[in-house]
Amino acid sequence: MKRLSIKARVTIWYTLLVALIALLAAGTLFFSARRMMRNYYQETLDSTTQLALDDIRMEDGELDIDRDLDDLPSVRVALFTEAGDLIYGQVRFELPFAEGEMRSATERSGEEWYVLDTRMEFDGAQNVWLRCYISADTAMNLGAIGLELAALILPALVILAGVGGYCIARRAFRPVARITRTAESIIDGTDLKKRIALKGARDELYRLSRVFDDMLDRLERSFERERRFTSDASHELRTPVAAILAQADFALSDLAAEADRVEALRDIRLRAGQMSTLINRLLALTRMDAGQTRLEWERVDLADVAEAAAMQIEDGAAARGMTVECACEGPVWAMCDQTMLTQALLNLAENAVKYGREGGHVRILARAQAGENILGVEDDGPGIAPEAMPHIFEHFYQGDRSRQAGGAGLGLSLVRLIVRLHGGRVEAESEVGRGSRFIIVLPQQAAMDAQAAEKP
């Protein structure tokens, strides 16, 4: 049985169940009919006995028997002395007398009868036995007919149940076969665009196919992100590696003077630092995507986080003639990982300095409003093109200006992941020629719940 397909097992069990139900139903009907016939015989014999008692009288020591007894339908009547001698009727079988009990008896010819005996007592005269009996052929014929019908109907019903069960199972499992074929066609990962796209009744299998299609959509997006991530990472690492190799070859050549070698080492050191930063960010992104980053929750004043970020960008802003403003509306208490949240805000602030307008203005803010904690960075730089806005949080996405500034396109991706780990969201607004505004929104209650979930 274990080697059979589910469809075959369902068909077999369905057929056996229908056969069992049919047998039970046939048996119940058969025995119910037998019982009904027995009740019918009992009632017929009782009523006939009552009629016979009314037609038999004792007059002057002799029995007076009404000849209407010969006209009783289907029931035979016989009278016997207490010693068993026949007075009236026929002797069809030998059976001891028993008062008021319906019994069965078989004639020499094999015919079966139902018998009811009644003792008749007369004053001053000998008692008489009244025996009423009726043929049981009707019940036997009914049983034979029932058996014949069962012999004809039950096999046909079982065959019909088997065929119907197979058709139902085949139709029911057709979506499963389609799901299997679709999964087998994409198992090697070369074609993730195929979908089950099941149509028809919206039953459990339809919902299962929708889940599979959604899973395939996510797998396709995941594979595409992985390919793009690998390609972009290779591209970003290729440039500094090529520069390091070129500078090292030059420094090792006989054409390089001492000053040239020192300059080459400085350039190698710069490129190695860029690679180290890129690798660290790649590791951070990978750990966050895999859910391996554990937050250290603590109660923090977000105003302190904003002031710390402002202090760290002051030198870079001064080098470009930019002013930095920290706008904090009183203490803004929140549960968060201070180190990671400071890094996220610092990434936004450094971008504002890097891509902002020379001699411009950077504003860092922290406030609480409507049950949410807000951290933000605003600048009055050239802004972001509208077509670039939907992609700025993607891994390695860079516009022309960002590539000129030497970034790798991972900073905003890290910001988004850090904020999501805190149960919040990051929003961006920008207008070309008027600057950009990035807002980190942290739900206060979500932060509390996250801290509770982190505790052992």
Side-chain angles (χ1 to χ4, degrees):
M1 180 69 76
K2 292 184 179 179
R3 296 184 178 181
L4 296 176
S5 65
I6 297 178
K7 182 166 58 179
R9 278 183 278 174
V10 169
T11 302
I12 292 173
W13 282 112
Y14 180 78
T15 304
L16 291 177
L17 180 62
V18 171
L20 179 61
I21 293 174
L23 287 173
L24 290 175
T28 301
L29 291 174
F30 178 76
F31 287 109
S32 297
R34 295 276 298 193
R35 185 175 183 84
M36 290 174 61
M37 289 303 299
R38 187 174 180 85
N39 291 337
Y40 163 75
Y41 290 141
Q42 180 74 57
E43 293 174 0
T44 302
L45 290 174
D46 287 340
S47 60
T48 302
T49 298
Q50 189 61 46
L51 290 174
L53 290 175
D54 294 337
D55 291 339
I56 300 174
R57 294 173 296 279
M58 179 69 72
E59 294 182 359
D60 299 330
E62 295 185 0
L63 286 175
D64 182 15
I65 302 174
D66 194 334
R67 295 304 175 184
D68 290 341
L69 289 178
D70 295 333
D71 299 330
L72 293 176
S74 68
V75 180
R76 303 290 182 266
V77 176
L79 295 173
F80 297 88
T81 64
E82 200 163 14
D85 298 328
L86 179 65
I87 300 174
Y88 173 83
Q90 296 180 355
V91 178
R92 293 182 176 271
F93 39 79
E94 298 294 334
L95 185 69
F97 295 102
E99 174 73 20
E101 179 184 352
M102 189 179 75
R103 297 169 294 163
S104 62
T106 304
E107 194 178 352
R108 291 190 183 92
S109 62
E111 184 177 0
E112 187 177 359
W113 300 81
Y114 285 103
V115 183
L116 181 64
D117 295 331
T118 304
R119 182 195 296 269
M120 300 180 65
E121 298 179 353
F122 300 101
D123 294 336
Q126 188 178 12
N127 295 334
V128 175
W129 283 102
L130 170 64
R131 171 165 285 179
C132 297
Y133 47 94
I134 185 171
S135 175
D137 287 344
T138 304
M140 295 178 64
N141 291 335
L142 179 63
I145 293 173
L147 289 175
E148 291 177 1
L149 289 176
L152 292 174
I153 294 176
L154 285 181
L157 183 62
V158 172
I159 293 173
L160 180 62
V163 174
Y166 177 78
C167 294
I168 293 173
R170 182 181 179 183
R171 182 176 181 85
F173 284 97
R174 189 177 299 164
V176 177
R178 185 169 180 175
I179 292 172
T180 303
R181 288 194 302 269
T182 303
E184 289 175 347
S185 65
I186 62 174
I187 196 169
D188 57 356
T190 57
D191 186 6
L192 293 176
K193 296 188 179 299
K194 292 186 178 181
R195 297 295 181 269
I196 300 170
L198 193 64
K199 298 179 181 179
R202 301 198 172 189
D203 52 13
E204 293 82 358
L205 290 177
Y206 175 86
R207 290 194 292 272
L208 177 62
S209 70
R210 289 293 302 272
V211 171
F212 268 98
D213 285 342
D214 293 341
M215 180 186 69
L216 291 174
D217 287 337
R218 290 194 296 271
L219 283 175
E220 183 182 10
R221 291 194 297 268
S222 176
F223 272 90
E224 185 60 31
R225 284 196 303 269
E226 182 180 350
R227 293 192 190 99
R228 188 168 62 248
F229 185 87
T230 303
S231 175
D232 291 340
S234 301
H235 175 78
E236 293 297 331
L237 289 172
R238 186 185 299 115
T239 301
V241 168
I244 288 173
L245 290 174
Q247 291 293 343
D249 290 340
F250 174 71
L252 292 173
S253 68
D254 296 334
L255 299 177
E258 187 64 26
D260 294 332
R261 290 190 176 92
V262 172
E263 185 63 27
L265 288 174
R266 287 175 179 170
D267 189 66
I268 290 173
R269 176 67 178 81
L270 176 62
R271 301 291 183 177
Q274 292 175 353
M275 291 179 62
S276 177
T277 300
L278 176 60
I279 291 172
N280 288 335
R281 288 191 172 183
L282 287 173
L283 287 174
L285 283 171
T286 303
R287 289 171 180 169
M288 290 182 188
D289 281 335
Q292 297 177 353
T293 303
R294 182 180 178 86
L295 301 184
E296 299 295 334
W297 295 96
E298 57 182 323
R299 191 166 182 263
V300 177
D301 184 0
L302 297 186
D304 294 340
V305 175
E307 291 175 358
M311 291 178 61
Q312 293 188 53
I313 66 169
E314 282 182 349
D315 292 342
R320 302 195 65 201
M322 304 171 71
T323 59
V324 178
E325 176 189 357
C326 186
C328 301
E329 301 177 3
V332 184
W333 297 104
M335 298 300 301
C336 64
D337 185 313
Q338 183 173 5
T339 301
M340 295 190 68
L341 196 60
T342 301
Q343 182 62 49
L345 186 62
L346 185 59
N347 283 354
L348 296 177
E350 288 177 345
N351 283 347
V353 173
K354 185 185 300 184
Y355 306 132
R357 177 175 56 86
E358 289 193 12
H361 181 79
V362 176
R363 181 169 178 264
I364 301 177
L365 58 93
R367 67 172 182 269
Q369 66 176 34
E372 295 179 327
N373 294 324
I374 305 296
L375 284 172
V377 176
E378 301 174 353
D379 66 68
D380 54 357
I384 304 173
E387 60 271 15
M389 287 296 293
H391 307 288
I392 58 175
F393 291 103
E394 295 178 4
H395 298 344
F396 294 106
Y397 181 80
Q398 295 177 321
D400 292 339
R401 290 185 297 104
S402 64
R403 287 199 179 275
Q404 293 172 2
L410 294 176
L412 291 180
S413 298
L414 277 171
V415 171
R416 183 176 62 175
L417 285 176
I418 291 173
V419 173
R420 284 182 176 176
L421 288 175
H422 283 79
R425 66 184 186 278
V426 59
E427 301 172 354
E429 300 174 1
S430 184
E431 186 176 350
V432 176
R434 302 193 64 178
S436 303
R437 181 171 184 260
F438 287 84
I439 296 296
I440 295 174
V441 182
L442 301 176
Q444 293 175 349
Q445 187 59 44
M448 294 290 188
D449 295 342
Q451 182 203 28
E454 288 286 329
K455 289 183 178 180

